[in-house]
Amino acid sequence: MRGESRPLLAAGTVACLVGASCQGFVQPAPSSSSSHGAAAGGSGSSSSLRLRGAVGSTPNASSSGTALPSLGLCAALGAAGAAAATAVARRAAAVKKKGVRVVDGKEIPWNLFAPKAPYQGWVSSNETITTKTPLVNWETSHVVLRHNKQVPYIEGQSIGIISPGPDKKGETPAKVRLYSIASSAPGDDETYNMVSLCVKRVLEVSGISWCEYSNVEKGKDPEFPQAEKVYRGVCSSHICDLKNGDQVLITGPTGAEMLLPEDQGSNIIMLATGTGIAPMRSYMRLLFNDKAGANADGTRKFKGLAWLFMGVPF
């Protein structure tokens, strides 16, 4: 999708946002008066680039953080000069005051609510957005939670949800689980009162799908009473089963690895290769839909290119 017409991977900033836990962010390093050559496929820019990012457990990502998942996009990034990068570092400063973290000179909301003192929100809506298939883990829900402006966040961050449990260890409540935020900072209704999640229900059934553990007594599962083992995700099931008006315990926000670049002319590559569409949805809402991403005359602030690659294992 385009903010304006321009060549793919034109000179300037190229941000690669991978999955729900990785970001490779390539931008030209400051050029000297004697610098020549092409950067990011353009001309007249410095050929010296730097790569910054924090790499999580994304398939095909190297432990060094300099390799991105293989979707043919490594070549594109290579053309952008990623091979010339000499450092991998997320320049996030230490927390200077409660509830705030400084990242690249900008303050962002940070851990306003801890697991021991979560915020109590409410479910505004919960909609199943997938169609049932023969696969046992077909169900994904879009859940909108009301926080009444008490849990501010920005695109690319996550919040934690505490389910009643018990979890695998029998603990109640269960330990907090992090979920990427699927809405832009204003929320789906653009009032800054809401936060949205896209959550897939974790369900494993022996004989039908891969299943290593079981947390349902044999013969007691309502859907699969004949199965030897059934595992139902504790927190994902809790979220998918929430009803309008239900209370939900929220922690966070957290996460500084998946933030959008400040440069509105950036070219952004989003890779959701089975790791979830939620953070990508938050970016797209801001860049192309919400009023927060528009100028006074109605034109979009974002002027770059945004590429979204969505994939699933099967």
Side-chain angles (χ1 to χ4, degrees):
M1 301 183 71
R2 293 174 180 267
E4 65 178 16
S5 178
R6 61 176 62 204
L8 172 62
L9 297 179
T13 299
V14 179
C16 186
L17 303 169
V18 186
S21 59
C22 295
Q23 180 192 44
F25 177 69
V26 183
Q27 67 180 26
S31 59
S32 65
S33 58
S34 61
S35 296
H36 298 282
S43 60
S45 301
S46 169
S47 60
S48 175
L49 301 176
R50 66 178 180 272
L51 172 66
R52 70 180 183 180
V55 176
S57 55
T58 298
N60 301 323
S62 71
S63 58
S64 66
T66 57
L68 295 173
S70 56
L71 277 179
L73 295 174
C74 291
L77 289 177
T86 59
V88 178
R90 184 67 193 177
R91 295 179 292 124
V95 176
K96 294 185 180 295
K97 57 185 178 182
K98 185 178 179 180
V100 170
R101 186 173 184 176
V102 179
V103 179
D104 294 339
K106 177 183 177 180
E107 288 189 349
I108 65 172
W110 193 264
N111 284 336
L112 290 162
F113 296 93
K116 292 184 178 180
Y119 176 78
Q120 181 180 285
W122 297 266
V123 178
S124 178
S125 66
N126 188 349
E127 177 186 3
T128 301
I129 58 175
T130 49
T131 303
K132 189 171 184 178
T133 72
L135 301 175
V136 296
N137 58 347
W138 60 271
E139 185 180 353
T140 298
S141 295
H142 182 77
V143 186
V144 181
L145 307 175
R146 175 176 289 277
H147 61 83
N148 292 337
K149 299 184 175 69
Q150 299 305 302
V151 189
Y153 58 89
I154 62 175
E155 297 77 16
Q157 289 192 299
S158 301
I159 57 170
I161 300 295
I162 300 176
S163 67
D167 59 16
K168 286 182 179 179
K169 296 182 179 180
E171 294 182 7
T172 54
K175 289 185 177 179
V176 64
R177 293 291 185 270
L178 293 179
Y179 291 91
S180 294
I181 295 171
S183 52
S184 59
D188 285 356
D189 64 351
E190 300 187 60
T191 65
Y192 293 86
N193 286 308
M194 306 290 189
V195 58
S196 299
L197 303 176
C198 288
V199 178
K200 181 177 182 178
R201 185 191 295 271
V202 175
L203 176 57
E204 300 166 1
V205 182
S206 63
I208 302 178
S209 68
W210 181 89
C211 184
E212 184 177 358
Y213 303 101
S214 178
N215 60 354
V216 180
E217 186 180 346
K218 184 179 177 180
K220 298 296 185 180
D221 189 86
E223 284 189 84
F224 306 98
Q226 304 303 319
E228 288 291 325
K229 293 189 294 184
V230 177
Y231 178 79
R232 292 184 175 273
V234 176
C235 199
S236 67
S237 294
H238 167 64
I239 295 173
C240 290
D241 290 337
L242 288 169
K243 308 298 183 185
N244 291 1
D246 283 354
Q247 297 177 352
V248 59
L249 299 179
I250 302 172
T251 69
T254 188
E257 296 81 18
M258 288 276 289
L259 308 183
L260 284 170
E262 293 291 326
D263 182 5
Q264 295 287 358
S266 300
N267 294 317
I268 302 172
I269 301 172
M270 293 167 281
L271 307 182
T273 54
T275 55
I277 196 64
M280 315 310 175
R281 182 182 185 273
S282 72
Y283 307 141
M284 301 293 270
R285 293 274 304 187
L286 175 67
L287 299 178
F288 299 106
N289 181 79
D290 293 353
K291 293 178 181 178
N295 295 307
D297 62 0
T299 60
R300 305 307 299 179
K301 296 177 181 178
F302 178 65
K303 301 300 182 183
L305 287 171
W307 285 69
L308 171 60
F309 294 82
M310 178 65 182
V312 292
F314 44 81

